[in-house]
Amino acid sequence: TCMEIADKLKDAMQVDFFESAVVACGNNFPDGLSGSYLAYVKKGPLLITSDKYQFQIQLHPWVIELKCY
């Protein structure tokens, strides 16, 4: 999942938390494409979700736990 990949990115970057995270909808190709550049610039993970419900249930608590601002 995108959360597991972001955890591995955190380990690879040797950081305790991300200052930012980018959330994009996987159903819309331009979102992921432009979001990948923004995530690179901000040095944070790109979290691709299928819909708003998945973000609210799965990603939002994860973002809070990682102290993304």
Side-chain angles (χ1 to χ4, degrees), residues 5-47:
I5 294 169
D7 284 334
K8 290 181 181 189
L9 177 63
K10 185 178 70 167
D11 293 340
M13 294 176 67
Q14 299 178 347
V15 296
D16 293 328
F17 63 92
F18 294 111
E19 291 186 14
S20 60
V22 178
V23 178
C25 178
N27 298 330
N28 194 349
F29 178 74
D31 286 354
L33 188 61
S34 58
S36 64
Y37 177 74
L38 181 59
Y40 172 76
V41 169
K42 294 293 189 175
K43 295 183 174 58
L46 173 61
L47 306 172

Side-chain angles (χ1 to χ4, degrees), residues 43-63:
K43 295 183 174 58
L46 173 61
L47 306 172
I48 299 177
T49 180
S50 59
D51 56 26
K52 184 177 179 180
Y53 177 76
Q54 182 186 15
F55 174 74
Q56 291 174 336
I57 299 302
Q58 293 179 327
L59 294 180
H60 186 261
W62 182 86
V63 170

